[in-house]
Amino acid sequence: SSPTVSGNMVYIASQDGKVYCVDARTGEQQWSKGDIKGLVFGSPAVSGPYLFVGTDGGQVLALSAETGNLIWKTTV
């Protein structure tokens, strides 16, 4: 997927099934989310405090953009 930039953070969905948050100024990893079921499909999207990712299994997850904590998930 393509990286998504919001503020000073870069969000990257990787083929290893994780989503990473990296400080755009320093390159320092802020957090990673690795317990997502299925491969992340497409680029992450940011809206306010939320980071949205979809998986190849049809799940959509809302994560905290600040911490990576799961807020909700649904299957579509």
Side-chain angles (χ1 to χ4, degrees):
S1 74
S2 298
T4 298
V5 179
S6 179
N8 292 320
M9 298 300 159
V10 179
Y11 301 94
I12 305 150
S14 177
Q15 290 184 355
D16 65 1
K18 293 182 180 179
V19 177
Y20 296 89
C21 175
V22 176
D23 187 307
R25 298 166 294 182
T26 65
E28 181 181 345
Q29 182 177 314
Q30 301 299 302
W31 55 260
S32 66
K33 180 73 174 171
D35 58 349
I36 297 171
K37 304 287 189 242
L39 295 177
V40 176
F41 186 77
S43 298
V46 178
S47 179
Y50 304 106
L51 175 70
F52 299 96
V53 294
T55 71
D56 64 348
Q59 284 192 326
V60 177
L61 295 88
L63 308 175
S64 165
E66 184 178 342
T67 65
N69 291 337
L70 179 66
I71 298 169
W72 56 257
K73 66 180 172 179
T74 189
T75 302
V76 294

